[in-house]
Amino acid sequence: TDLAAWTKLRFDYWSSFVPGGAGEHVQSRFNLVDNARRLADAEAVHIWAATGVSEQLFIAFVVHLVKLVGGDPTRISLVECEMMNGSRIIGLGELNEGQMRAAPESKPMSDAVAQQYLNAWSVLTSPDPLLLASFAREHPEANRWLRLAMQLMTRRYPDRRNGLSYWDHALLGRVEKRGPEVSRIIGYTMTETFILGDLVGDWYL
């Protein structure tokens, strides 16, 4: 509910990964949070997104921001880039200029769809992981990529049997075959799990 608090929380989180390095980050003037107030008066808000976890969470975040700053959710439209040449598009970064031009038409986001993404954001930021685990089951009408994203996010939590998350297992499971170099273990983990659509990245791993 507080953009300043959100920004600090996010900055501190990434700073914990890269001690001392976060201070070297140069903030883009197009940074979404810094421009959030503009969403309140925007004639139209077009969200471009693919099917991956981060892309679906981005949609939820933008819808939440529009509501937070007092914008009109009925002005939101969605450009859904799902498939290209028979293959699933996980992230917009996969597309070249020609493919971006060939993207589907922007479609107004219905109240029902906007509410599904708002519900998803509420669940994602809740301290109760059970809400996340049950999202797909309790929202069968939601976008299939959103439901999948929420299911995949539960893997961030530790397994109650051994305290390890899915990504801990993914890394350890490749030590013998892909190691001993850490960079190879991380690289192969990213490559071999790409198709799932949960692009956690090298810093996370």
Side-chain angles (χ1 to χ4, degrees):
T1 58
D2 185 321
L3 283 178
W6 162 261
T7 302
K8 183 179 185 307
L9 187 70
R10 191 166 186 266
F11 182 83
D12 291 346
Y13 173 77
W14 282 112
S15 297
S16 70
F17 276 100
V18 199
E24 301 174 4
H25 175 69
V26 178
Q27 192 84 332
S28 168
R29 63 193 178 95
F30 300 114
N31 180 49
L32 178 61
V33 173
D34 291 343
N35 289 278
R37 297 296 168 190
R38 295 174 61 188
L39 296 172
D41 303 318
E43 280 186 33
V45 177
H46 296 273
I47 305 174
W48 287 60
T51 66
V53 172
S54 59
E55 306 266 325
Q56 292 300 306
L57 302 193
F58 173 69
I59 298 172
F61 185 51
V62 174
V63 176
H64 170 71
L65 274 182
V66 170
K67 182 180 179 183
L68 185 63
V69 299
D72 184 357
T74 64
R75 296 179 180 176
I76 300 175
S77 293
L78 188 59
V79 180
E80 297 179 283
C81 299
E82 297 182 299
M83 306 294 291
M84 186 71 68
N85 299 323
S87 298
R88 175 188 173 194
I89 304 169
I90 292 172
L92 288 181
E94 298 173 49
L95 305 180
N96 61 32
E97 295 167 350
Q99 291 168 326
M100 291 287 279
R101 281 196 214 72
E105 290 293 321
S106 179
K107 296 180 180 178
M109 181 179 285
S110 68
D111 292 342
V113 170
Q115 189 58 55
Q116 289 159 11
Y117 279 102
L118 286 172
N119 291 344
W121 188 254
S122 177
V123 165
L124 281 164
T125 56
S126 168
D128 185 356
L130 291 178
L131 298 177
L132 183 61
S134 62
F135 181 87
R137 183 176 64 253
E138 295 183 3
H139 297 81
E141 74 290 348
N143 180 315
R144 63 172 171 159
W145 304 120
L146 175 60
R147 285 184 280 118
L148 176 60
M150 301 297 276
Q151 289 175 324
L152 292 175
M153 282 299 292
T154 63
R155 305 185 310 175
R156 300 289 197 281
Y157 287 93
D159 188 316
R160 63 183 178 183
R161 295 168 297 182
N162 52 37
L164 300 178
S165 72
Y166 166 85
W167 291 108
D168 294 323
H169 282 288
L171 288 166
L172 291 172
R174 289 171 172 81
V175 169
E176 184 175 357
K177 183 178 180 182
R178 303 300 188 184
E181 295 89 351
V182 172
S183 58
R184 285 175 56 86
I185 295 168
I186 290 175
Y188 275 104
T189 300
M190 291 173 62
T191 302
E192 293 170 354
T193 59
F194 178 85
I195 193 63
L196 299 175
D198 191 7
L199 312 182
V200 292
D202 53 353
W203 275 119
Y204 183 92
L205 295 175

